[in-house]
């Protein structure tokens, strides 16, 4: 986003604007020289995601992870610039636009989303924890029932193998090609 803004800059004929831009640049250079530049790690362009969420849209877990990283990075940047208020007052003033009260939002997202952004954690809510536990238990019951069926003598002769396998994300029994009509199911 910063590169986009930099490319959009056009020279100004207003002496006050030129002086202001030069002062901002001088402050940034001074921070770099002192190795006191604000940390900008983790900050991503989440404008589109924020607009989507503002319209009531649902964000993917990876996008929520990006939002959390951006919020945390922004808050950390503001805090770092607040510490440099005397040597970089103009940059510090710019950083006031970063809402420091959003830090709990980043924390809440990080508690609810896996570190790699791949999924929502089981402990994101009590209801989700309960539902996922019920789902695991249901899958275990289905797998156990299939194992029980595979051990039945009347069905065993129609099976290629006597164990349960996975196909298309579902537990299945491997039925011999010639026995398809003898075993109900898909």
């Amino acid at each position: 986003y910063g590169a986009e803004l930099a490319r959009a800059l056009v020279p100004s004929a207003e002496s006050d604007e030129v002086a202001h831009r030069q002062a901002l640049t001088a402050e940034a250079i001074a921070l770099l020289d002192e190795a006191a530049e604000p940390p900008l790690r983790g900050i991503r362009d989440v404008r589109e995601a924020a607009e989507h969420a503002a319209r009531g849209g649902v964000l993917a877990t990876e996008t929520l992870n990006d939002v959390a990283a951006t919020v945390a990075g922004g808050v950390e940047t503001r805090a770092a610039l607040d510490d440099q208020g005397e040597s970089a007052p103009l940059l510090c003033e710019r950083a006031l636009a970063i809402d420091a009260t959003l830090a709990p939002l980043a924390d809440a997202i990080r508690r609810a989303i896996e570190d790699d952004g791949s999924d929502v954690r089981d402990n994101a809510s009590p209801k989700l924890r309960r539902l996922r536990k019920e789902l695991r238990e249901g899958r275990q019951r289905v797998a156990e029932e299939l194992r029980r069926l595979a051990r039945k003598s009347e069905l065993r002769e129609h099976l290629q193998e006597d164990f349960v396998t996975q196909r298309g994300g579902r537990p299945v029994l491997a039925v011999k090609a010639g026995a398809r009509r003898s075993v109900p199911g898909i």
Side-chain angles (χ1 to χ4, degrees), residues 51-104:
E51 290 170 10
H52 182 68
R55 291 190 306 268
V58 176
L59 301 180
T61 54
E62 298 89 3
T63 305
L64 284 169
N65 226 20
D66 288 348
V67 168
T70 300
V71 168
V75 170
E76 193 176 339
T77 296
R78 178 179 171 167
L81 285 170
D82 283 348
D83 292 343
Q84 300 296 326
E86 288 184 27
S87 60
L90 295 174
L91 289 172
C92 187
E93 183 181 322
R94 283 266 173 114
L96 291 177
I98 301 169
D99 187 354
T101 63
L102 289 175

Side-chain angles (χ1 to χ4, degrees), residues 10-183:
V10 292
S12 176
E14 300 292 324
S15 61
D16 290 345
E17 178 65 20
V18 170
H20 181 72
R21 288 181 185 179
Q22 286 179 331
L24 279 169
T25 302
E27 286 182 9
I29 291 170
L31 290 178
L32 288 171
D33 287 346
E34 297 169 17
E37 68 268 15
L40 299 174
R41 67 182 162 273
I43 296 177
R44 296 167 182 91
D45 186 357
V46 294
R47 291 175 292 171
E48 192 175 304
E51 290 170 10
H52 182 68
R55 291 190 306 268
V58 176
L59 301 180
T61 54
E62 298 89 3
T63 305
L64 284 169
N65 226 20
D66 288 348
V67 168
T70 300
V71 168
V75 170
E76 193 176 339
T77 296
R78 178 179 171 167
L81 285 170
D82 283 348
D83 292 343
Q84 300 296 326
E86 288 184 27
S87 60
L90 295 174
L91 289 172
C92 187
E93 183 181 322
R94 283 266 173 114
L96 291 177
I98 301 169
D99 187 354
T101 63
L102 289 175
L105 170 68
D107 294 339
I109 292 172
R110 286 192 169 140
R111 280 191 308 273
I113 303 295
E114 294 291 345
D115 292 336
D116 62 358
S118 62
D119 202 0
V120 177
R121 295 179 195 258
D122 283 356
N123 65 354
S125 76
K127 186 174 185 176
L128 180 62
R129 184 180 315 113
R130 180 181 52 79
L131 290 172
R132 284 189 174 168
K133 181 181 179 201
E134 287 175 14
L135 184 62
R136 277 190 303 276
E137 290 169 354
R139 285 180 176 153
Q140 287 173 346
R141 282 193 306 273
V142 167
E144 182 54 42
E145 180 63 19
L146 283 172
R147 282 190 290 275
R148 189 185 63 72
L149 284 171
R151 288 189 301 266
K152 280 188 167 184
S153 59
E154 63 267 14
L155 189 59
R156 195 173 329 152
E157 66 187 70
H158 301 297
L159 300 178
Q160 289 178 5
E161 303 144 351
D162 62 348
F163 60 88
V164 179
T165 186
Q166 292 279 328
R167 297 258 166 77
R170 294 182 289 181
V172 297
L173 294 172
V175 176
K176 292 177 183 174
R180 281 191 296 216
R181 297 189 193 281
S182 304
V183 180

